[in-house]
Amino acid sequence: PFAPGRWKMNGTEIKMEPDSRYRLVAGDLVISNPVKAKDTGTYQCVASNPRGTVVSREASLRFGFLQEFSAEERDPVKITEGWGVMFACSPPPHYPGLSYRWLLNEFPNFIPADGRRFVSQTTGNLYIAKTEASDLGNYSCFATSHIDFITKSVFSKFSRLSLAAEDARQYAPSIKARFPADTYALAGQMVTLECFAFGNPVPRIKWRKLDGSQTSKWIGSKPLLQIQDVGFEDEGTYECEAENIKGRDTYQGRIIIQAQPEWLEVITDTEADIGSDLRWSCAAAGKPRPTVRWLRDGQPLTNQNRIEVSGGELRFSKLVLEDSGMYQCVAENKHGTVYASAELTVQALAPDFRLNPVKRLIPAARSGKVIIPCQPRAAPKATVLWTKGTELLTNSSRVTITTDGTLILQNISKSDEGKYTCFAENFMGKANSTGILSVRDATKITLAPSSADINVGENITLQCHASHDPTMDLTFTWSLDDFPIDFDKSEGHYRRASMKEAIGDLSITKAQLKHSGRYTCTAQTVVDSASEAATLTVRGPPGPPGGVVVRDISDTSVQLSWSRGFDNHSPIARYIVEARTLLSSKWKQMRTNPVNIEGNAESAQVLNLIPWMDYEFRVLASNILGVGEPSLPSSKIRTKEAAPTVAPSGLGGGGGAPNELIINWTPMLRDYQNGDGFGYILSFRKRGSQGWLTARVPHAQSLHYVYRNETIGPYTPFEVKIKAYNRKGEGPESLTTIVYSAEEEPKVAPFRVLAKAVLSSEMDVSWEPVEQGDMTGVLLGYEIRYWKDGDKEEAADRVRTAGLVTSAHVTGLNPNTKYHVSVRAYNRAGTGPPSPSTNVTTTKPPPKKPPGNISWTFSGSTVSIKWDPVEAKPDESAVTGYKMLYRQDSHSAPTLYLASKSRIDIPVPEDFTHAFVQIRVTGPGGDGVPAEAHIHRNTG
């Protein structure tokens, strides 16, 4: 463990006196009532224990301060209005840096950075690009220091700005606030560059990094360019440009990126044998390039006997015990220092087998090989001898003793059984360790796996049987192309076919292409192993072709080439080419030349493509086992343009305002446009005339055209045809279609209008139709208008019919009310003149009172139902009879009965138990309110 730390200030150890201002708290140095004059400096912690000493990196203690501005009055500034001006801040002594703002006239009226005014955070100076009348006043620099959680601000004496008469002249920019020619920055920090210019109009500021090309991108448009987390890729020359309508000014400067030291290689704790050599190295990156020095137990280490210091390398020759200790590698440049620490322990030990003795029982296979390590702990390295019994072993055709003391016996026989002893010795002492070699029967493969061919999805079992020494366990392992097979991660494809110890058969279920390869079965005991291998070929559909390339692009075809993929052990029979366009993500098989692409081909022409269309292509290979995976899509291409080959569809029209011919069509889809600059050409003429009028309608989305001419009569037939065009030419014309010009409202009215009241809220209306020959348009139907007596016709309700019907049923009327009714014909242009109006009066409403006192009696298979008659009031329509709705139960269909009086007899089945009835009055005004009753056989 380390002892409590000691501290040094400026290289001198600090005395921890009982009454001093210094004290240690858990190793931390605490300074009470720090004083700038006494405590400013560099501090370093020193930690020691019996194994050595290490030092910390140095820490610098500085005291922040901000003095007051000078008390001297500041000179006033006078300048011509429209010119630029700069106020110098001249901040007082301070540490660390400050932030700056400017006051105008009084606190807290701070001047905003608005593009016309700018406050440099480097110097604190205020810049006004172009003065205005509002700039008159007194200016003070306001400086703020931020130290931990303490903020302090001071402000300068005011300086007055006065303006001379305005100079309306405009002038080119002149950059006044500039960043340094060389700006040094540490990697990972933020870099800020300043640039501001005078000018009239106020100049625009732009930034770019000059990368040697003629088209460097602009990367900023404000007086401050800030680069967060700057890196070495940001190093280079930056240009600020100020521009207005009178000209421009530029300024360039470099950003140079540097970095604190950062370890690339460090030393680690090491144990080394006495008398051995040791080489330690450490390396650090940084800019400027760091220098490296070494410390031992906190003291500088230099070249001396047996120790060589060379930059980042430390070399020891013939280590001694006194070389043990704590070592530090120190890398530093002007931006910082990093320390790497490690302990060196030099060991001197007599040979000791307690941690790693020779194996007590050593089994070995007859005719095989055995390796017996001898690895005692020793420093320096021990000399090793081997004996069998009392016989000293030396290297021979069957015996090998390696340089590290390992004994290797080959072609083992029963006579090799016995005790084997390793003797180890160094100058510190000697030791030995013994093991007994036992010879066992060799493991042999008795039934080896056989090579086979199968198809994808089939099953197979690879056989593997073995014999072995019965005193040992036998295990089987399988590998595919020398990679062990993990049965648990095989997704069910691999399993052991038998659990018998001497049988290691491998079962492969639903074989995949990836299961092809060389399978090796290994039968293994703790002393030896035997292996046999076989090749399994899994045949399947071909793999994806590669490298699809498109060339020779025309308007309707391209030439496609590809490279052959894996045939997966079954010859490729043919290739299929698929394509997709920007209009659909679905792949579609394409026509090719040749039609059938043979399996040895690596190119084909793709036909019947759409001109001016973006395509991707892919190729699939097939064999007798199926179609394989597709290739990766080709790069996107666009076929060349061509004139349209299809005429637009859906040609029609009609309607519109008087003297108009409206022509409609279906906009053509992208598939049929064939090129840019797409539009439509219309040809039209009055039916029977000779010459054609034409009109060009641009844009593919257009879907109608309106031709206006005072000479166009209503509902005049026109012959119309259409074709498409693009910048490559015109397409074919459509068939001619007849389109009529705008219709005219009907000029004649229906006649013999009849209206008849039906119930209290409905009426039937009929009329004689207008003749189609009297129409300048297509009759769409009739409009019935009806209004109450006393109302104006303008307030009439309206009902429209469709087609050529000549009657209508109108509902929703008020009872016992007189209505006026007229009928008009209508077409797409509007409604025609009204027919002469006719009158109709709706009937009174039916009585509101329902039938009462419903009673019933049973007589054999008949039930007699009675109720009190209903008398109509003067404002109600007469009662002409009654309606009864009869239902056996809630699931049966109801039956309607009519009665002229207030009773009715109806038949019922013998097993009748109950029924539901509704009874209401009926008459000219319709049906009244129902009364309900539930009839039971056991009541009367």
Side-chain angles (χ1 to χ4, degrees):
F2 280 97
R6 295 175 287 120
W7 284 86
K8 290 182 178 181
M9 174 186 172
N10 297 332
T12 302
E13 186 169 339
I14 299 174
K15 303 293 185 181
M16 297 293 173
E17 303 291 346
D19 297 328
S20 74
R21 296 182 300 113
Y22 303 107
R23 58 192 174 95
L24 286 177
V25 178
D28 295 342
L29 175 63
V30 178
I31 305 174
S32 301
N33 302 315
V35 179
K36 178 180 179 182
K38 294 182 178 181
D39 298 318
T40 299
T42 301
Y43 291 78
Q44 190 173 37
C45 178
V46 182
S48 301
N49 71 2
R51 307 302 292 268
T53 299
V54 292
V55 296
S56 71
R57 66 179 182 179
E58 294 179 340
S60 178
L61 175 61
R62 295 182 64 181
F63 288 76
F65 67 95
L66 173 58
Q67 297 181 8
E68 297 290 335
F69 275 95
S70 169
E72 292 185 10
E73 295 294 332
R74 298 203 169 196
D75 294 334
V77 177
K78 185 173 183 179
I79 197 163
T80 301
E81 183 179 344
W83 290 10
V85 67
M86 185 272 286
F87 287 93
C89 179
S90 303
H94 59 274
Y95 175 83
L98 305 175
S99 63
Y100 300 96
R101 290 183 288 176
W102 280 78
L103 295 169
L104 177 58
N105 294 326
E106 61 183 358
F107 182 89
N109 186 22
F110 291 107
I111 295 173
D114 54 7
R116 187 175 66 86
R117 294 170 290 189
F118 172 70
V119 177
S120 169
Q121 296 303 309
T122 302
T123 63
N125 297 343
L126 168 65
Y127 297 84
I128 302 177
K130 168 182 170 286
T131 53
E132 298 177 352
S134 61
D135 295 324
L136 280 171
N138 299 307
Y139 289 78
S140 171
C141 181
F142 190 88
T144 302
S145 173
H146 304 275
I147 302 173
D148 291 332
F149 301 103
I150 300 173
T151 299
K152 179 181 179 182
S153 299
V154 294
F155 55 89
S156 70
K157 291 286 188 177
F158 282 90
S159 176
R160 179 162 185 78
L161 174 66
S162 57
L163 300 176
E166 180 181 5
D167 183 352
R169 288 178 299 172
Q170 296 180 332
Y171 60 93
S174 175
I175 295 176
K176 298 298 183 182
R178 302 180 175 187
F179 54 99
D182 289 329
T183 299
Y184 290 88
L186 282 179
Q189 294 184 343
M190 183 176 75
V191 174
T192 301
L193 304 182
E194 297 182 341
C195 181
F196 193 75
F198 293 172
N200 185 7
V202 174
R204 294 181 301 277
I205 303 294
K206 294 194 294 184
W207 295 86
R208 63 178 173 177
K209 181 183 179 186
L210 301 179
D211 55 10
S213 68
Q214 298 296 318
T215 58
S216 298
K217 292 183 178 178
W218 296 104
I219 56 176
S221 59
K222 294 182 179 179
L224 289 180
L225 176 65
Q226 292 184 322
I227 305 174
Q228 305 282 349
D229 193 17
V230 69
F232 286 100
E233 69 277 6
D234 298 309
E235 190 170 77
T237 300
Y238 288 76
E239 181 181 81
C240 163
E241 178 183 288
E243 182 182 24
N244 64 14
I245 59 176
K246 300 300 291 183
R248 68 189 187 99
D249 189 15
T250 62
Y251 175 74
Q252 295 178 2
R254 292 189 305 162
I255 292 180
I256 301 169
I257 306 301
Q258 300 198 329
Q260 297 174 338
E262 184 177 331
W263 287 119
L264 301 174
E265 181 183 0
V266 296
I267 55 177
T268 57
D269 292 342
T270 302
E271 293 182 348
D273 293 346
I274 188 170
S276 65
D277 296 338
L278 175 65
R279 174 182 167 274
W280 257 347
S281 63
C282 61
K287 190 177 179 184
R289 185 176 180 177
T291 59
V292 177
R293 55 190 175 90
W294 292 83
L295 304 176
R296 181 170 68 185
D297 291 330
Q299 299 301 317
L301 189 61
T302 58
N303 288 330
Q304 50 191 277
N305 185 31
R306 296 184 307 97
I307 299 176
E308 180 183 352
V309 178
S310 177
E313 283 201 350
L314 176 61
R315 296 188 185 92
F316 296 86
S317 300
K318 300 188 183 305
L319 285 165
V320 297
L321 293 175
E322 290 74 15
D323 292 326
S324 297
M326 297 300 300
Y327 289 79
Q328 289 180 285
C329 179
V330 185
E332 55 193 345
N333 65 13
K334 65 180 182 179
H335 300 299
T337 305
V338 288
Y339 289 73
S341 304
E343 180 183 2
L344 172 61
T345 303
V346 179
Q347 297 177 324
L349 302 169
D352 186 350
F353 282 98
R354 283 177 297 178
L355 292 179
N356 201 12
V358 173
K359 191 174 179 182
R360 203 79 185 127
L361 180 63
I362 308 166
R366 195 187 307 273
S367 302
K369 179 174 78 170
V370 68
I371 298 173
I372 310 174
C374 178
Q375 298 173 330
R377 187 180 181 194
K381 182 179 177 182
T383 302
V384 172
L385 295 174
W386 279 93
T387 64
K388 178 190 176 189
T390 58
E391 177 191 356
L392 180 65
L393 298 177
T394 59
N395 287 332
S396 66
S397 61
R398 296 179 53 246
V399 178
T400 302
I401 301 174
T402 65
T403 56
D404 67 354
T406 299
L407 174 63
I408 303 174
L409 303 178
Q410 303 192 66
N411 195 18
I412 290 173
S413 65
K414 197 72 175 175
S415 62
D416 292 318
E417 287 188 331
K419 291 184 178 181
Y420 288 80
T421 302
C422 173
F423 292 88
E425 181 179 2
N426 65 13
F427 76 87
M428 296 290 293
K430 58 180 67 177
N432 64 76
S433 182
T434 300
I436 299 173
L437 179 67
S438 174
V439 178
R440 311 292 176 88
D441 291 338
T443 303
K444 297 179 180 178
I445 299 292
T446 58
L447 180 59
S450 301
S451 296
D453 288 10
I454 60 173
N455 293 333
V456 167
E458 293 181 346
N459 304 330
I460 191 172
T461 297
L462 299 178
Q463 293 181 308
C464 185
H465 298 184
S467 64
H468 68 294
D469 191 298
T471 63
M472 292 182 291
D473 292 333
L474 177 69
T475 59
F476 287 91
T477 59
W478 285 86
S479 63
L480 173 58
D481 295 331
D482 297 327
F483 288 96
I485 293 175
D486 187 337
F487 289 82
D488 294 332
K489 296 181 179 178
S490 69
E491 299 175 343
H493 291 293
Y494 293 124
R495 64 180 179 85
R496 284 284 300 272
S498 173
M499 290 296 106
K500 294 181 179 179
E501 186 182 27
I503 300 176
D505 295 354
L506 174 67
S507 178
I508 305 175
T509 305
K510 296 181 180 178
Q512 305 296 307
L513 292 170
K514 63 183 179 181
H515 296 141
S516 291
R518 183 173 178 81
Y519 284 81
T520 302
C521 171
T522 301
Q524 189 168 7
T525 66
V526 293
V527 297
D528 70 339
S529 64
S531 298
E532 291 290 345
T535 299
L536 176 64
T537 301
V538 182
R539 305 185 188 279
V548 178
V549 176
V550 187
R551 53 187 176 82
D552 299 341
I553 302 169
S554 73
D555 55 350
T556 59
S557 68
V558 298
Q559 189 72 23
L560 218 60
S561 62
W562 58 89
S563 59
R564 181 184 179 87
F566 294 112
D567 64 9
N568 290 331
H569 313 296
S570 180
I572 297 173
R574 61 189 292 259
Y575 288 98
I576 300 168
V577 175
E578 294 182 337
R580 66 181 177 187
T581 69
L582 59 79
L583 304 175
S584 172
S585 60
K586 186 176 181 181
W587 292 93
K588 178 182 176 184
Q589 186 172 341
M590 306 302 292
R591 286 191 57 189
T592 58
N593 179 24
V595 175
N596 294 313
I597 308 171
E598 299 295 333
N600 58 356
E602 293 189 3
S603 66
Q605 188 181 31
V606 187
L607 307 174
N608 291 3
L609 301 178
I610 300 171
W612 196 56
M613 182 60 67
D614 292 334
Y615 279 98
E616 287 179 297
F617 299 92
R618 69 181 187 183
V619 181
L620 302 89
S622 66
N623 58 21
I624 60 172
L625 297 174
V627 179
E629 291 293 315
S631 68
L632 292 174
S634 69
S635 57
K636 286 184 180 179
I637 63 98
R638 175 172 287 187
T639 51
K640 293 185 177 179
E641 296 178 87
T645 55
V646 177
S649 62
L651 188 61
N659 309 120
E660 283 185 353
L661 171 66
I662 296 180
I663 304 171
N664 303 324
W665 62 91
T666 302
M668 289 190 74
L669 299 175
R670 174 70 173 76
D671 312 46
Y672 304 108
Q673 294 173 21
N674 290 7
D676 204 1
F678 187 85
Y680 305 91
I681 299 176
L682 291 162
S683 300
F684 52 93
R685 66 183 179 187
K686 289 183 182 179
R687 187 165 61 186
S689 62
Q690 295 300 314
W692 291 87
L693 298 172
T694 61
R696 294 175 74 91
V697 183
H699 307 307
Q701 297 79 19
S702 300
L703 46 74
H704 75 277
Y705 172 73
V706 180
Y707 173 62
R708 295 181 180 86
N709 193 302
E710 297 297 329
T711 64
I712 299 177
Y715 207 58
T716 301
F718 279 78
E719 295 176 295
V720 179
K721 53 188 178 179
I722 188 171
K723 60 184 175 182
Y725 72 90
N726 60 26
R727 64 184 182 186
K728 282 293 184 178
E730 299 175 0
E733 281 190 321
S734 68
L735 297 175
T736 300
T737 299
I738 299 299
V739 178
Y740 287 84
S741 64
E743 301 174 33
E744 189 177 44
E745 298 98 335
K747 298 297 185 184
V748 295
F751 57 99
R752 292 181 185 168
V753 176
L754 297 175
K756 181 181 178 182
V758 181
L759 305 179
S760 60
S761 61
E762 301 173 10
M763 68 177 171
D764 287 330
V765 182
S766 62
W767 58 89
E768 292 293 331
V770 299
E771 296 293 335
Q772 182 64 48
D774 297 331
M775 299 282 293
T776 52
V778 177
L779 176 67
L780 296 181
Y782 295 90
E783 182 177 276
I784 297 95
R785 298 188 183 185
Y786 55 96
W787 62 98
K788 295 177 184 177
D789 188 37
D791 290 349
K792 294 184 178 180
E793 184 178 354
E794 289 78 6
D797 290 315
R798 306 178 187 197
V799 173
R800 279 195 168 188
T801 67
L804 302 179
V805 298
T806 57
S807 63
H809 184 72
V810 181
T811 60
L813 305 177
N814 292 337
N816 197 24
T817 302
K818 181 178 181 181
Y819 284 90
H820 301 280
V821 182
S822 70
V823 182
R824 305 167 185 246
Y826 73 90
N827 60 14
R828 280 192 288 185
T831 54
S835 68
S837 64
T838 186
N839 301 326
V840 64
T841 300
T842 54
T843 62
K844 297 177 182 179
K848 295 179 181 178
K849 181 180 178 183
N853 294 325
I854 300 173
S855 62
W856 56 90
T857 57
F858 287 92
S859 175
S861 59
T862 303
V863 59
S864 217
I865 304 173
K866 299 179 182 179
W867 57 88
D868 291 343
V870 176
E871 297 292 338
K873 295 180 180 180
D875 59 348
E876 295 176 337
S877 62
V879 177
T880 60
Y882 299 87
K883 290 181 179 180
M884 184 178 76
L885 200 63
Y886 174 89
R887 188 169 59 201
Q888 189 75 34
D889 54 49
S890 59
H891 302 293
S892 61
T895 303
L896 180 64
Y897 292 95
L898 301 177
S900 58
K901 296 182 180 180
S902 59
R903 65 168 290 158
I904 189 169
D905 295 333
I906 59 174
V908 294
E910 291 184 4
D911 58 353
F912 175 88
T913 57
H914 65 92
F916 299 93
V917 296
Q918 284 185 349
I919 304 172
R920 69 185 78 203
V921 300
T922 186
D927 297 338
V929 178
E932 296 184 352
H934 185 194
I935 300 173
H936 300 270
R937 178 179 282 278
N938 57 348
T939 60

